[in-house]
């Protein structure tokens, strides 16, 4: 793999029509070949593990109640990445004023009102409050297969750092032992998955991009407790490989927030593993070339023939 | 089909786990069976018509540049339905104030800043500016296969009026003759599709829900010019059936906005046909029962066996 910075790789993807520019960094259309690979990866994840593991599929739209995001703690840790939904709630006079502002290029958005929705920041966030309403966590725990478009406000010309992207996750809720066994199993599966796709991967301890000065403490704690691992694949550089999967142990954080309890009355623990579908797709195009027809035969077999 | 108001049908869908409540009207999780039907409908639309018609698949995330929504005219016609994306852009002090507001239940959203993105109101809106950048419309015109989550700010307990829902469209750009031939063909296909799914459907002239007093004039014009037809299926009542497909002729509106021209130099015309995936799914559950295993054999064959 030749070295290239983000904008260079982005340009080659745009030239080939794999991504389509919209004029906003991190917001792209997906051309036929790019989307086909995303969909095949997604289908492969379903085909291989959903039935085998007995994971329950649940899907949400790319937005969720704002108060669930407030309760989740996301705004403590990542206020800069969150997106909220606002709408026009005025009368005809205010509408005329809005149109006047648009016509002369004045800012009309300060009159938009928050409508109690936030954009989904990671596919699993809407799951916990909905699952918590089912009552006590059963003995076997919960295992949910979830996928969704996610939003993070971080405009960038790095194609591996989109503002809107898809994440496919398995979410585990239960006892600490259940969560740790789940994560250990997926760390191994992640390595095997990358090998099967002929992608060079390493697994490493990681931390989330917590906001502000106190964020440094949170990041250090997360690393010390070994709560987050990532499967890293070089996309833009060999020195700074990109996280294409993550393996997370939330301890009892979501259990506390949503008061989820195991049958013995203890606060439930949770964890999730996530595939970054666009990032894995970018890694495949990076390592195997921009023409899917010339990808290595074993990789094509996994994605195309096994359906 | 027994009569039922929207909330009653919603309750039965929630009880069966077909939809999952989030506490926000019009924002639901999709349970395994509901999502499976949505995905099968979506796959059927692709399988049947994409290759046959030579439609180019393009996909966008559920948001798009705000200035494209401004240019499109959407905010003139439907300001009340549009959603814009806002984010926190402050420093650590402002973050502390945000967290204080959340903790005591004060409004913190007025400090969120617009980040130049709007939620996609209909699947085809992001397509026109991107296609326009390709230059002149070719002789054969453009035919795009597009699908996306869409947002409309209209909280309701009517399950057929969600705030976040999926639309699968074919978009045609070219001469007036090309657009009208496309729409005529799809009006027939729509009727056949409903019959195949054993859904009672009628096609009728329609208008969009334009905002305000001047909106009444726009709606009357739209009807007089026969620009919009809908395929209507009773979901909540026989008297007020629900639009599950629409067939739209935009005349030269988007051509003017994005300066798309046909080879003879004329402003291009455009049209689109759209499948409301959640609405079609709700119609199927309404007419064939909440247990997919007991759906009529011919319907099951179309959705399950033909894959």
């Amino acid at each position: 793999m030749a070295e290239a910075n983000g904008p260079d790789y982005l340009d080659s993807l745009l030239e080939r029509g794999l991504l389509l520019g919209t004029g906003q960094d991190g917001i792209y259309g997906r051309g036929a070949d790019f989307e086909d690979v995303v969909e095949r990866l997604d289908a492969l994840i379903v085909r291989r593990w959903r039935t085998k593991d007995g994971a329950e599929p649940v899907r949400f739209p790319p937005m969720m109640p704002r108060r669930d995001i407030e309760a989740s703690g996301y705004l403590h840790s990542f206020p800069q990445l969150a997106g909220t939904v606002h709408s026009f709630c005025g009368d005809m006079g205010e509408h005329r004023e809005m149109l006047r502002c648009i016509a002369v290029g004045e800012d009309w958005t300060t009159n938009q009102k928050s409508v109690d929705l936030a954009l989904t920041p990671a596919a699993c966030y809407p799951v916990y409050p909905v699952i918590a309403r089912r009552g006590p966590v059963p003995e076997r725990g919960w295992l949910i297969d979830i996928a969704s478009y996610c939003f993070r406000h971080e405009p960038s010309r790095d194609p591996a750092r989109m503002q809107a992207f898809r994440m496919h996750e398995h979410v585990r809720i239960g006892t600490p032992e259940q969560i740790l066994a789940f994560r250990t199993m997926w760390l191994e599966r992640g390595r095997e998955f990358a090998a099967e796709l002929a992608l060079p991967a390493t697994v490493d301890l990681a931390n989330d991009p917590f906001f502000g000065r106190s964020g440094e403490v949170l990041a250090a704690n997360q690393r010390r407790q070994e709560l987050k691992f990532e499967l890293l694949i070089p996309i833009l550089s060999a020195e700074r490989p990109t996280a294409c999967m993550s393996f997370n142990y939330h301890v009892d954080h979501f259990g506390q927030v949503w008061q989820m309890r195991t049958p013995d009355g203890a606060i439930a623990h949770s964890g999730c593993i996530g595939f970054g579908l666009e990032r894995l797709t970018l890694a495949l195009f990076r390592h195997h070339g921009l023409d899917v027809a010339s990808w290595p035969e074993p990789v094509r077999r996994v994605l195309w023939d096994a359906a």
Side-chain angles (χ1 to χ4, degrees), chain A:
Chain A
M1 190 190 75
E3 295 287 311
N5 63 24
D8 285 353
Y9 184 37
L10 179 60
D11 284 342
S12 63
L13 295 165
L14 293 170
E15 269 160 36
R16 283 293 288 254
L18 290 164
L19 295 181
L20 309 173
T22 68
Q24 287 286 336
D25 289 341
I27 304 288
Y28 307 107
R30 278 79 166 148
D33 280 355
F34 190 94
E35 183 67 16
D36 187 44
V37 172
V38 170
E39 290 178 9
R40 285 176 188 281
L41 279 170
D42 194 61
L44 178 60
I45 294 163
V46 167
R47 197 163 65 235
R48 183 157 297 177
W49 292 298
R50 185 188 286 174
T51 306
K52 181 178 180 179
D53 291 357
E56 175 188 348
V58 175
R59 292 292 180 270
F60 288 91
M63 61 205 62
M64 56 184 288
R66 196 189 68 219
R67 70 152 184 278
D68 288 343
I69 282 286
E70 293 172 3
S72 74
Y74 191 83
L75 297 168
H76 286 67
S77 300
F78 317 108
Q80 79 284 17
L81 299 178
T84 48
V85 180
H86 294 234
S87 282
F88 170 78
C89 302
D91 59 19
M92 285 189 285
E94 288 162 294
H95 184 219
R96 276 192 299 275
E97 173 61 10
M98 174 196 206
L99 294 182
R100 188 195 63 76
C101 288
I102 292 173
V104 300
E106 281 177 25
D107 187 6
W108 55 275
T109 61
T110 52
N111 289 320
Q112 294 280 98
K113 302 266 184 292
S114 166
V115 296
D116 303 326
L117 297 171
L119 298 180
T120 305
C124 63
Y125 271 78
V127 168
Y128 308 103
V130 166
I131 295 295
R133 279 186 208 120
R134 292 183 179 173
V137 176
E139 199 83 50
R140 67 179 187 285
W142 294 114
L143 178 62
I144 310 290
D145 170 325
I146 187 112
S148 151
Y149 253 104
C150 303
F151 175 78
R152 295 187 186 170
H153 179 236
E154 45 179 353
S156 163
R157 293 263 302 155
D158 174 351
R161 194 162 291 286
M162 295 186 184
Q163 294 196 73
F165 58 93
R166 279 161 287 185
M167 204 185 277
H168 195 133
E169 296 189 44
H170 276 209
V171 179
R172 190 84 173 98
I173 301 168
T175 64
E177 295 71 30
Q178 286 170 333
I179 312 306
L180 287 169
F182 162 84
R183 193 174 65 165
T184 302
M185 174 181 75
W186 273 104
L187 280 164
E188 191 50 36
R189 284 179 175 178
R191 284 192 188 90
E192 287 166 9
F193 192 63
E196 219 179 335
L197 296 173
L199 295 171
T202 53
V203 169
D204 205 357
L205 195 60
N207 62 267
D208 287 306
F210 295 101
F211 180 77
R213 248 196 320 270
S214 59
E216 291 168 32
V217 181
L218 294 173
N221 282 343
Q222 195 182 29
R223 283 183 170 269
R224 208 190 53 247
Q225 296 178 68
E226 303 194 347
L227 300 183
K228 186 182 193 74
F229 290 88
E230 290 175 339
L231 181 98
L232 302 159
I233 303 175
I235 297 181
L236 301 170
S237 94
E239 287 75 41
R240 293 171 291 105
T242 299
C244 294
M245 285 188 71
S246 73
F247 311 83
N248 307 286
Y249 180 28
H250 317 131
V251 199
D252 63 354
H253 175 74
F254 291 115
Q256 288 281 3
V257 168
W258 306 111
Q259 284 297 301
M260 293 186 284
R261 289 178 188 276
T262 47
D264 61 359
I267 291 289
H269 284 222
S270 66
C272 65
I273 66 90
F275 296 83
L277 296 179
E278 274 81 1
R279 286 185 171 181
L280 281 166
T281 301
L282 290 166
L284 286 163
F285 279 106
R286 187 74 176 133
H287 288 275
H288 305 323
L290 299 185
D291 176 12
V292 291
S294 66
W295 285 9
E297 206 37 58
V299 175
R300 288 194 55 87
R301 223 167 15 242
V302 172
L303 288 172
W304 271 264
D305 299 346

